[in-house]
Each structure stands twice: as C-alpha cells, then as structure tokens.
Amino acid sequence: MKVIICGAGQVGWQIARQLSGERNDVTVVDVNPDLVRRATDTLDVQGIVGFASYPDVLERAGARDADLIIAATHSDEVNMVTCQVAHSVFSVPRKIARLRAQSYLDAIYSDLYRREHLPIDVVISPEREVAEAALQRLAAPSTFDTESFMLGRAQLLGIALDDDCPVLNTPLRQLNDLFSTLRAIVVGVRRDGRLFAPDPDDQLFAGDQIYVFTHSEDVNRALEIFGKKAKKQERIVIIGGGNVGLGVARALEARSDRVRAKIIEKSRPTAERAADSLERTIVLHGDGMDMEILLEAAIDRADAVLAVTDDDKTNLLVAVRAKQAGCQMAIALVNDPTLAPLMGPLDIDAYINPRATTVSSILRHIRHGRVRAVYSIGDAEAEMIEAQILSTSSLAGKMIREIDFPEGVLVGGVMKGDKVVKPAAELRLEAGDIIALFAMTSDVREVERLLQVSIDFF
C-alpha cells in the first residue's frame, strides 16, 4: 500500500513508523526539514519538504498513485485543504484528516465532509479520543490502561502487580486450571521495561505490568484475582476545562448514575465557557496547583482527579498534590512518553498519552477491512487487533492449537455470534468469528497475512 503522511510530528512519525515497519510504501511530507530528516534517517520512508496542501508538493510525494493520504499537520485548515487537493487533483481513494477545532466537529456540520463538499473519509479528533480514553480509565480505576473490544463485550486491562497480589509466582498455565470459569487471558507482560507475550509456563512477579483480555462481565473478578478492588467513582475533580475536560464532564453528566464532578480551570474565559456548557458540573475558576482551590473542590474526599491541562508538568504535579491531599486515584494527561517511567515513583495511577490514542484511532481506520479495531500498546511496542475471520483465511476451520502463530502473538478472545468465549487449544475458529489478537509490533505483518487483510480490503 502506498501511503502519504502529511505532518512529521509525533503522530505522523509514529504512524510512519508503524506502516513502514509493515513494508508499506510510505512518504512523509512536512514543511520542517529537520522533522523530515529525522523520519528518513530513522525509518524506511521517503521524505518531501514542503507545504502538504500544495499540489506540486503532493505530486512529488507520489499522490497520483497513492492509496491513502493521512493529513496530520498542526493546522486543521491545511489538513482539510490537503484532502481536498488529494481528491480533486489526484483522485486519492482514501483520505484521513486530524481536526482539533470543535466547530469543525459539531454534529450539525457533519454534512461538510460529504464527497461533493470536503471529501474527507475519516475525521480524527485527538481531544475526543483522549476524552474517551479518560472515561475508560475512570471506569476501571484500579488499572493503568484499558480499552473496549467486541462491541463492549470484552476489555483489555493494564494491571500493575503489587506485593500483595495473590497469584504471584504462579505459572499462567496453572492460573487457567485454578480459575477455569474466568474468561480472561494474560496476553502481555512488561518486566524491567520490556514488553513480551508470555508463555504458559511463565510466572508473574511483583512489579510486573500485565495486560489482561477479559469478558466485560468478568472484569471485577479478574481485578480481584490480580489483587485489585473495583470501586465506583462518584466524586471526580477535573483539572482543566478545555476541550478534553469539557468532553469528559459532558459524558459524566449524560450517565444514568449520578457522578458529582467539579472542574478547576485557570483561564476565566475557558471557565465561563465550560460553566455555560454544563448543567450539573461545578466549575471553579482558579489554578489547579493551588492547594486552597483544590480543597475548595473537596479534593481530599474525591474518588479521582483527572489532570488534563495542556501542560505535562502541571498535570503531573497536580496529580501528585491531589494524592497527597487524600484523593484516591490520579490520572494525568502526558504528551511526552519519556515521562511515563515517572508514574510509579510519583504514585500516579494512570496516564493518557494523546499520541497513542490518536495513533490507535488512525490505525483502526487504516486497517478498516476485516480488522475492526486496533489498540496501540505502550510506545507502539505491540497492538491488540480485533478482526473478523474470512472464509478464505487460513484460520477458518482450524483449532487454535493447529495454527502456527508467531511467538509474539496470543489469542485474547473469540466472539461467536454475540457470545465472547475464552480461547482454548481445542476451540475451532469458523468464518465470521471475531478474534482478538495481542501481537508484538514485529509480528503485525504476519498477523495480517494470517487474516488475509490484503490491499483489497483497504
């Protein structure tokens, strides 16, 4: 597949890394020569310096025979014009644009993106993706990461194992025997900074970070087995009333269960806009770093604090201060992935990386054929892939034990009809089944080959 990625920032670079690693023909376009040079020096991609919306620049990038263009520059307008030029001049069949301004995303203006207007096939909103990620973290407060699969019937849970975890030093094979009715599989383990797909004889140790794929009905039981308690979040303090914080507050107000949320926002105009947009949420104008304003928001009695300002350091410090004041759980928005190792020492329960959420969303739409969902894990170290099995797939009609999966691939779950079942060696996969696979990044290409997701499905 020939792909043009416009914008070589964090998101563009990461998408280029993913797709070039899967042997796609990737060209990166950016007005900044240093960013283009970084991409071409570190990745197997071609680079073009210039404005992505200029027809001559897209021509040099190979737009005439491109299968897909991803417009992820820092300008919404450049991204929109780039898609228009790609469609009108070069007839690029598929166009994805990242848009941030909320006015462009309002549902009443969705007609704007019809083919005869602005021909954008997929619009990605980082703020909406981050708000959704924040809500999922709040829904599973004892996890550091979570994502829904199989129409919400399954969950991927990231769980940090403590010394009091009751199943430490137990081989995973034995866990399946001890909890035979638990529909959950440990698909990934991070130990000493390295992520890997575990073998059945591997044991779990204190300090491990594990990824568990589980039926949604078994989430609480799975958490208990790994030493965590499920606790309902009723009082939430949100630091930052911008698009992310406002999106989370709106979603909380729409829920049937009564959640008491408060927002602290430093900018008076932004605070006033949030207050006008919300019905039950209390909005406080002040600095989230100020302990007095935190106590006014009753941070000491809060079940969770969600720090989502546009400054990483502020989010980290607010999260630490809130925990010290007695808040039960802290979630921080962190753009810089190199800060992730600080979460444990700082006692921050979970963090959200906007780059990872945006990359996952874009990948989900790129692999839109029989691949129904993709979630990027860690710093693009692995993926959780949900796909439908085709009748022509080499997987169809085989038992799981008969399939030669790569070493870094594990089956997390299978959905037959509307029922999610735990994978077992004797489970036979049939055409139409939905399968969820944990795959190390180096094995994604082989997974796609097994699923027969070829260019015909893109």
Side-chain angles (χ1 to χ4, degrees):
M1 181 170 63
K2 182 171 179 54
V3 184
I4 299 174
I5 300 173
C6 301
Q10 288 189 348
V11 169
W13 187 89
Q14 192 61 60
I15 291 293
R17 174 186 170 189
Q18 295 274 137
L19 296 182
S20 64
E22 297 163 20
R23 301 188 187 95
N24 292 292
D25 182 358
V26 178
T27 300
V28 174
V29 179
D30 200 288
V31 70
N32 187 330
D34 292 333
L35 292 180
V36 173
R37 189 179 305 112
R38 181 188 69 153
T40 55
D41 287 350
T42 58
L43 305 173
D44 183 18
V45 301
Q46 301 175 68
I48 299 292
V49 177
F51 286 94
S53 57
Y54 287 5
D56 62 315
V57 173
L58 290 180
E59 174 96 56
R60 287 191 288 130
R64 291 202 181 276
D65 58 349
D67 301 296
L68 168 70
I69 190 163
I70 301 170
T73 75
H74 293 295
S75 167
D76 287 357
E77 291 70 25
V78 169
N79 294 338
M80 295 163 80
V81 172
T82 297
C83 290
Q84 181 71 69
V85 172
H87 172 78
S88 301
V89 179
F90 301 107
S91 300
V92 177
R94 190 158 175 81
K95 299 155 290 291
I96 297 176
R98 179 179 65 175
L99 301 181
R100 283 197 166 93
Q102 294 304 295
S103 183
Y104 290 136
L105 303 169
D106 197 309
I108 65 174
Y109 305 128
S110 60
D111 192 54
L112 176 64
Y113 306 110
R114 288 170 55 185
R115 185 165 291 272
E116 61 268 27
H117 296 156
L118 269 176
I120 302 174
D121 300 294
V122 177
V123 172
I124 303 294
S125 166
E127 284 80 7
R128 287 184 177 177
E129 299 292 337
V130 169
E132 179 60 32
L135 289 166
Q136 292 199 33
R137 300 292 189 280
L138 290 171
S142 53
T143 65
F144 66 83
D145 199 359
T146 180
E147 181 69 13
S148 295
F149 290 88
M150 298 177 169
L151 304 176
R153 295 185 177 92
Q155 296 279 329
L156 179 69
L157 307 175
I159 304 173
L161 302 185
D162 300 320
D163 292 325
D164 58 355
C165 173
V167 294
L168 296 181
N169 306 313
T170 304
L172 295 179
R173 189 192 308 276
Q174 189 174 339
L175 284 183
N176 289 331
D177 296 334
L178 291 172
F179 308 103
S180 58
T181 60
L182 178 70
R183 293 165 292 182
I185 296 288
V186 178
V187 293
V189 176
R190 187 187 303 281
R191 181 175 298 152
D192 299 326
R194 185 178 74 88
L195 182 66
F196 61 93
D199 292 325
D201 294 324
D202 282 336
Q203 301 178 29
L204 301 177
F205 303 111
D208 285 352
Q209 291 183 333
I210 64 172
Y211 288 89
V212 180
F213 193 87
T214 178
H215 194 293
S216 294
E217 294 176 357
D218 290 354
V219 166
N220 289 344
R221 186 179 173 208
L223 290 173
E224 290 176 1
I225 287 171
F226 293 107
K228 303 295 180 180
K229 293 182 179 179
K231 186 178 186 297
K232 185 178 179 181
Q233 309 286 22
E234 297 178 340
R235 297 179 294 269
I236 297 170
V237 177
I238 302 169
I239 311 299
N243 292 330
V244 174
L246 185 58
V248 172
R250 282 173 172 162
L252 292 175
E253 285 191 345
R255 281 167 46 168
S256 57
D257 53 334
R258 302 288 289 186
V259 176
R260 287 175 283 179
K262 297 177 182 178
I263 291 178
I264 299 175
E265 170 53 47
K266 191 174 184 179
S267 164
R268 179 175 289 276
T270 303
E272 291 175 348
R273 179 174 71 93
D276 290 340
S277 302
L278 298 166
E279 297 179 3
R280 301 195 308 269
T281 304
I282 297 173
V283 180
L284 302 175
H285 172 232
D287 188 348
M289 288 290 293
D290 186 341
M291 184 55 77
E292 289 188 11
I293 196 77
L294 285 173
L295 291 175
E296 184 179 344
I299 196 67
D300 54 325
R301 299 192 301 276
D303 295 312
V305 63
L306 179 64
V308 289
T309 76
D310 57 4
D311 183 78
D312 286 358
K313 296 180 179 62
T314 297
N315 294 337
L316 293 176
L317 291 173
V318 167
V320 171
R321 181 159 286 186
K323 288 293 289 283
Q324 290 178 339
C327 183
Q328 297 298 307
M329 177 188 183
I331 304 172
L333 178 67
V334 179
N335 288 276
D336 184 354
T338 64
L339 296 176
L342 296 176
M343 301 301 143
L346 292 177
D347 192 28
I348 298 174
D349 300 279
Y351 74 97
I352 303 166
N353 182 347
R355 182 186 71 175
T357 60
T358 305
V359 166
S360 292
S361 182
I362 291 175
L363 288 175
R364 181 168 66 248
H365 292 290
I366 289 174
R367 302 187 182 129
H368 77 284
R370 295 303 179 183
V371 174
R372 296 156 42 112
V374 175
Y375 185 62
S376 181
I377 296 173
D379 188 17
E381 299 155 276
E383 292 181 12
M384 200 75 205
I385 301 171
E386 176 187 321
Q388 186 173 32
I389 296 176
L390 301 169
S391 59
T392 55
S393 169
S394 60
L395 304 183
K398 289 185 177 179
M399 290 187 287
I400 289 179
R401 62 178 172 80
E402 296 173 337
I403 302 170
D404 187 21
F405 286 114
E407 185 177 343
V409 175
L410 285 177
V411 181
V414 177
M415 186 164 73
K416 291 180 172 290
D418 60 355
K419 183 180 179 182
V420 177
V421 297
K422 183 177 179 179
E426 295 76 24
L427 181 65
R428 190 176 299 277
L429 303 177
E430 305 291 349
D433 289 353
I434 307 300
I435 189 170
L437 297 168
F438 173 92
M440 300 301 295
T441 299
S442 58
D443 295 312
V444 167
R445 185 73 176 182
E446 177 63 15
V447 168
E448 291 194 331
R449 188 193 66 77
L450 288 170
L451 295 169
Q452 291 196 351
V453 180
S454 65
I455 190 68
D456 296 336
F457 294 107
F458 284 95

